[in-house]
Amino acid sequence: MSPESITADQVWTWLEGVPDPEIPVISIVDLGVVRDVVCANESVTVTITPTYSGCPAMAVIAEDIKLALEKRGVVSVELVTKIAPPWTTDWLSEKGKARLEDYGIAPPRQTGVPERCPNCHATTVTKVSQFGSTPCKAQWRCDDCLEPFDYFKCL
Amino acid sequence: MMTANEALFQFLLRQGDNALVLGHRTSQWCGVGPVLEEDIALANTALDLIGQTQLWLAYAAEVQGEGKSANDLAFLRDAYDFRNLLLLEVPNGNFGQAIMRQCLFDAFQVPWLTELQTSSNQQVADISAKSLKEALYHWERSSETVISLGDGTEESHAYMQAAVDFCWPYAGEMFCDDAVDEAINTAGIAPLPSSIRQTWIDQVESVLSEATLTKPNSDFAQRGGRDGIRHTEHLGHMLATMQVLQRSFPGATW
């Protein structure tokens, strides 16, 4: 495919196939990390934003984007990192939230409290720690099935 | 008389070095935290701080205009070139002391970064808005933990009272305005640190009182970190460990 014929819509669709390196059930588009795609002058510019300022997955995400686009014949990929406006969990797509729950991670909520246990769906849950296996998650426990689970922090 | 650019560079170093030095000290807890959850929390806090460091020091390097990177500033400067608060460079001590230090610093960072969001300098405003989100949940955890331990057992209470007594003389440095602060304030980049002192005291008093801890009475402040004039002897030792790889193998990358 010649770069001139690539449209931004196509690139968005391709990027929807790029999984988040740490939570592979959702794509970087569902996560809201991809902010903008511009196709011009035979090159594609993708603007990304970090979830957390120290998120170690950013370097991998940047590599994965390049690989995904080069695989489709895009010759020149430029990546721009932008921190403003800062990433918020409001940018997680509904599809992304549903997939998180299926995967066993309670999706973020404005109240700061998970709606229910992602395993048994009981609504009585207790915070274990504000920090979890990655910066974006906290540890909670279901008071009903007693299973611990990750909660995607609201940011 | 310093130029506007020099003042901005010094200001950015203070922002970046606070995050770097506290981030590195906090990372020293990785693998030795008292319980698994706290170990993870400390490591994640350190990670946030190192992320913030990259943002501040990358901008500092740009303002400096000598073609350096954030990594150059972090790994190739000596102790006397660092501009962090003394509070953040003293060794971790025990877990209670590390949490108290975090709490006193977070109580400063939250109102400080809130003000910086409306800085006349857009990059400062953007980095602050990003960092504030993280500072807010650091504060939530550090203040809750100080309360739990202070109002905990007799033993944990004693540790926390000793922690606040130890940290207190270092905390006042946050609010000692100098020529850099004046220049930055005049340029509309940041308020004077002294202007948020009362907010900080109110927050800290509220936490200490809920934690059944006694606020030290002295207003004496150890200074010399944020202007680099007199760091403690601990910073050099910390940097020796932190910088050894880049000093021994200059330019080494992963």
Side-chain angles (χ1 to χ4, degrees):
Chain A
M1 186 182 292
S2 69
E4 303 96 279
S5 61
I6 294 170
T7 66
D9 282 349
Q10 253 171 342
V11 174
W12 277 103
T13 312
W14 292 337
L15 295 178
E16 276 181 35
V18 177
D20 175 78
E22 283 176 344
I23 313 167
V25 287
I26 58 171
S27 78
I28 55 170
V29 173
D30 284 328
L31 189 61
V33 160
V34 181
R35 301 316 302 159
D36 196 24
V37 173
V38 177
C39 302
N41 300 326
E42 302 199 346
S43 77
V44 177
T45 304
V46 181
T47 304
I48 53 175
T49 195
T51 52
Y52 286 73
S53 55
C55 182
M58 285 312 283
V60 180
I61 289 176
E63 274 308 301
D64 289 348
I65 290 174
K66 280 193 176 165
L67 281 174
L69 299 187
E70 281 165 7
K71 206 169 69 186
R72 264 96 178 183
V74 181
V75 184
S76 162
V77 183
E78 199 194 334
L79 280 160
V80 177
T81 303
K82 195 178 150 200
I83 60 160
W87 181 84
T88 156
T89 35
D90 296 346
W91 294 345
L92 263 169
S93 70
E94 288 307 316
K95 188 177 80 194
K97 287 182 192 169
R99 285 195 178 161
L100 281 179
E101 193 178 31
D102 284 345
Y103 189 57
I105 302 171
R109 284 175 85 218
Q110 280 299 338
T111 56
V113 176
E115 186 193 359
R116 58 188 187 181
C117 164
N119 303 306
C120 75
H121 294 180
T123 52
T124 46
V125 291
T126 306
K127 182 164 79 177
V128 177
S129 173
Q130 213 183 0
F131 293 83
S133 54
T134 64
C136 56
K137 286 178 273 171
Q139 292 178 70
W140 285 67
R141 183 183 56 233
C142 174
D143 296 335
D144 204 36
C145 72
L146 302 179
E147 284 294 320
F149 63 90
D150 273 339
Y151 163 62
F152 206 107
K153 275 188 286 213
C154 192
L155 190 73
Chain B
M1 184 72 193
M2 79 187 87
T3 66
N5 213 54
E6 278 165 5
L8 179 59
F9 178 58
Q10 290 299 319
F11 169 79
L12 294 171
L13 286 183
R14 289 173 179 188
Q15 295 297 114
D17 288 346
N18 278 348
L20 174 59
V21 172
L22 181 59
H24 187 77
R25 279 290 184 213
T26 306
S27 79
Q28 292 174 331
W29 280 102
C30 190
V32 294
V35 291
L36 183 60
E37 285 79 6
E38 286 307 326
D39 199 294
I40 291 170
L42 288 159
N44 271 310
T45 304
L47 185 63
D48 287 339
L49 290 164
I50 299 302
Q52 294 169 18
T53 304
Q54 281 177 326
L55 299 173
W56 289 116
L57 291 189
Y59 184 32
E62 188 186 315
V63 168
Q64 189 186 25
E66 293 178 11
K68 288 182 183 160
S69 66
N71 277 343
D72 292 334
L73 291 181
F75 294 116
L76 301 176
R77 277 180 305 148
D78 284 311
Y80 44 78
D81 288 325
F82 273 72
R83 295 291 179 267
N84 57 281
L85 297 165
L86 298 176
L87 172 70
L88 310 180
E89 75 192 37
V90 291
N92 287 331
N94 58 53
F95 175 73
Q97 189 179 307
I99 292 296
M100 180 61 74
R101 173 186 63 191
Q102 185 73 40
C103 180
L104 297 176
F105 182 65
D106 292 340
F108 170 77
Q109 281 294 80
V110 170
W112 178 243
L113 294 171
T114 301
E115 291 284 340
L116 293 189
Q117 287 185 108
T118 52
S119 170
S120 64
N121 180 307
Q122 194 56 49
Q123 271 172 277
V124 169
D126 290 348
I127 298 171
S128 300
K130 183 78 191 164
S131 307
L132 176 60
K133 285 185 164 225
E134 293 158 1
L136 279 165
Y137 66 76
H138 293 171
W139 161 249
E140 203 182 307
R141 168 176 168 274
S142 63
S143 58
E144 277 177 11
T145 312
V146 165
I147 293 167
S148 305
L149 292 174
D151 190 18
T153 64
E154 206 175 305
E155 187 184 7
S156 71
H157 176 90
Y159 269 106
M160 295 316 281
Q161 186 61 53
V164 71
D165 292 344
F166 175 84
C167 291
W168 200 256
Y170 293 109
E173 190 190 7
M174 297 172 188
F175 310 107
C176 294
D177 301 340
D178 65 8
V180 172
D181 299 309
E182 302 280 353
I184 288 298
N185 181 46
T186 307
I189 294 168
L192 289 174
S194 59
S195 71
I196 60 164
R197 186 164 185 264
Q198 197 53 50
T199 308
W200 180 83
I201 287 181
D202 293 346
Q203 292 283 357
V204 169
E205 272 181 346
S206 154
V207 169
L208 292 181
S209 125
E210 212 181 319
T212 71
L213 297 170
T214 307
K215 180 174 85 83
N217 271 327
S218 170
D219 272 342
F220 171 74
Q222 292 280 8
R223 352 181 6 176
R226 63 196 299 276
D227 53 19
I229 288 174
R230 194 172 57 252
H231 279 285
T232 67
E233 70 272 31
H234 306 294
L235 182 64
H237 292 276
M238 191 199 95
L239 295 181
T241 312
M242 189 184 93
Q243 298 180 331
V244 65
L245 193 121
Q246 284 300 325
R247 299 284 192 184
S248 306
F249 303 94
T253 57
W254 288 107

